[in-house]
Amino acid sequence: MVKELVHDPIFLAQKSDPADGSDMQTAQDLLDTITAHKDECVGMAANMIGVKKRIIVFNENGKFGVMFNPEIIAKTEPYKTEEGCLSLLGAPRPATRFKKIKVKYLNEELKPRIKTFTGFTAQIIQHETDHCDGILI
């Protein structure tokens, strides 16, 4: 179900709780919501739809991926950029990101995975993982 976006910076600045098998509907709601906003959004975290769980969705080469409990375990090649966010009103804000990251997460079947991401996909995952950690750009 497409959910309303949260814009409350106090709520968004709270750390999210670990996700588990009872959170599958939240993952589906995230996919539905990002699909409804696909022309203006490339990633979302569960707190953006009002759920304090560590779940993100992101655009990877035109297809949306889902991660439960993402944790960036390695990062290299920092760079400066500017990012916008559907949950935060106003102009894009400065951010430091990394060109290459390694992420530990659970996939849609809740199986553990470790995968390396680069480029824009890596940037999206970093932004959404920051949301899970209560970090706002």
Side-chain angles (χ1 to χ4, degrees), residues 12-137:
L12 294 169
Q14 297 175 39
K15 286 189 176 188
S16 296
D17 299 320
D20 59 33
S22 68
D23 297 307
M24 293 299 177
Q25 185 60 52
T26 297
Q28 186 58 56
D29 291 346
L30 270 174
L31 286 168
D32 294 344
T33 304
I34 197 169
T35 299
H37 292 277
K38 67 182 179 205
D39 292 337
E40 61 209 10
C41 185
V42 293
M44 279 189 174
N47 65 353
M48 293 174 67
I49 60 168
V51 180
K52 271 186 17 176
K53 292 291 188 150
R54 291 188 68 84
I55 306 169
I56 68 170
V57 294
F58 59 97
N59 185 325
E60 183 178 20
N61 303 318
K63 183 179 175 193
F64 292 117
V66 178
M67 288 183 181
F68 290 82
N69 303 319
E71 179 186 347
I72 297 171
I73 58 174
K75 49 193 175 184
T76 59
E77 301 178 63
Y79 65 97
K80 301 282 187 191
T81 189
E82 287 192 344
E83 297 175 347
C85 181
L86 280 183
S87 283
L88 300 174
L89 304 176
R93 296 167 172 91
T96 299
R97 297 296 180 210
F98 296 84
K99 291 182 183 177
K100 183 176 179 182
I101 61 171
K102 185 182 285 190
V103 184
K104 181 171 83 170
Y105 64 98
L106 301 177
N107 68 8
E108 292 180 73
E109 289 88 38
L110 299 177
K111 300 209 184 297
R113 297 287 184 256
I114 295 177
K115 186 173 177 181
T116 298
F117 296 90
T118 60
F120 190 52
T121 301
Q123 183 176 340
I124 298 166
I125 293 168
Q126 289 168 81
H127 180 104
E128 303 314 330
T129 302
D130 277 356
H131 268 292
C132 294
D133 293 332
I135 298 169
L136 305 178
I137 56 169

